[in-house]
């Protein structure tokens, strides 16, 4: 996602729920030219903002969350994005994953955001056996050195989108198939069929 500061990143990540990065970038390109600060967003009506972000899906809820979040940022934080998990998670529309993305990318904190791709890939590869995103996050932060968490977050997302997909993983072309329990099962099934 394209962003120039922590505030733009926060808005972009809120918009990214159930939406592609490409669509978020398309939407925010014009949005951030018109509205540059939390104060600019805070005075919009829900319908005004909803019309601006329609392409992102779930736009009614997202517009409401963004406006409420921007009011809080303006009133409590002087227009700045907080740089800690507790304050970020208290903002409307901001869950743990969003907060961790902002902390990692905007503030350089050694967090490990867990989205659906990271959750799936980490469990498939046996990097975690946690049954919640929070447990997977804990396992990955124990496993991956602080300085490498940001890059590994992006690597697992890319791998989950390109090869280790939810419905039809491409185990035959996977570079880590020899370590993956799912790929081993799939290979055994294919060899029995032949």
């Amino acid at each position: 996602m394209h962003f120039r500061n922590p505030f733009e990143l926060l808005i972009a990540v809120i918009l990214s729920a159930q939406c592609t990065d490409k669509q978020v970038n398309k939407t925010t390109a014009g949005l951030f030219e018109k509205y540059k600060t939390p104060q600019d967003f805070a005075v919009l009506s829900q319908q005004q903002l909803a019309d601006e972000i329609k392409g992102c899906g779930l736009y009614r809820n997202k517009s409401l969350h963004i406006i409420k979040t921007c009011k809080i940022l303006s009133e409590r934080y002087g227009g700045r994005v907080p740089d800690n998990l507790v304050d970020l998670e208290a903002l409307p529309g901001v869950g743990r994953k969003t907060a961790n993305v902002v902390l990692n990318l905007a503030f350089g904190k050694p967090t490990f955001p867990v989205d659906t791709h990271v959750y799936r890939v980490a469990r498939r590869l046996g990097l975690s056996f946690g049954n919640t995103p929070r447990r997977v996050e804990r396992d990955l932060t124990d496993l991956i050195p602080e300085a490498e968490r940001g890059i590994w977050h992006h690597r697992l997302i890319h791998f989950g989108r390109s090869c280790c997909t939810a419905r039809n993983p491409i185990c035959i072309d996977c570079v880590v198939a020899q370590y993956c329990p799912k790929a081993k099962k799939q290979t055994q099934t294919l060899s029995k069929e032949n």
Side-chain angles (χ1 to χ4, degrees):
M1 284 182 282
H2 302 148
F3 64 95
R4 296 173 290 203
N5 55 54
F7 174 66
E8 288 185 0
L9 175 62
L10 175 62
I11 299 304
V13 179
I14 291 172
L15 290 172
S16 72
Q18 308 273 319
C19 187
T20 65
D21 289 354
K22 183 178 178 180
Q23 182 60 44
V24 171
N25 288 336
K26 184 178 172 184
T27 301
T28 57
L31 193 66
F32 293 151
E33 288 308 310
K34 287 171 107 171
Y35 314 109
K36 299 182 185 321
T37 66
Q39 295 82 355
D40 294 339
F41 282 88
V43 298
L44 296 173
S45 72
Q46 182 183 3
Q47 190 58 52
Q48 281 177 298
L49 185 54
D51 289 343
E52 299 269 3
I53 64 171
K54 255 186 183 158
C56 286
L58 306 174
Y59 57 91
R60 287 185 184 91
N61 283 338
K62 290 176 184 179
S63 63
L64 184 63
H65 290 149
I66 289 169
I67 291 168
K68 286 181 177 180
T69 286
C70 288
K71 286 179 180 176
I72 293 168
L73 292 178
S74 298
E75 294 165 7
R76 288 191 203 158
Y77 300 103
R80 300 187 87 105
V81 175
D83 65 353
N84 67 80
L85 190 64
V86 172
D87 289 339
L88 281 168
E89 281 189 298
L91 297 171
V94 178
R96 189 170 184 92
K97 185 209 76 166
T98 297
N100 277 333
V101 168
V102 171
L103 290 172
N104 187 276
L105 294 178
F107 298 108
K109 303 229 175 169
T111 62
F112 206 107
V114 175
D115 68 357
T116 56
H117 301 294
V118 171
Y119 180 79
R120 178 182 66 253
V121 171
R123 289 168 41 91
R124 277 188 184 164
L125 293 178
L127 301 174
S128 173
F129 297 103
N131 57 1
T132 65
R134 199 167 205 160
R135 182 61 211 195
V136 170
E137 176 189 336
R138 205 171 7 210
D139 291 344
L140 292 173
T141 56
D142 288 346
L143 183 65
I144 297 170
E146 284 186 8
E148 296 178 26
R149 289 180 189 156
I151 191 67
W152 274 101
H153 164 74
H154 290 291
R155 285 175 178 161
L156 291 174
I157 288 172
H158 177 70
F159 184 63
R161 287 178 179 163
S162 64
C163 183
C164 196
T165 58
R167 292 199 176 128
N168 297 307
I170 311 166
C171 299
I172 194 93
D173 292 332
C174 179
V175 295
V176 293
Q178 69 189 44
Y179 308 107
C180 176
K182 181 169 182 68
K184 288 177 185 173
K185 284 182 191 175
Q186 193 175 42
T187 304
Q188 289 169 352
T189 303
L190 287 174
S191 62
K192 285 179 184 176
E193 291 174 359
N194 294 331

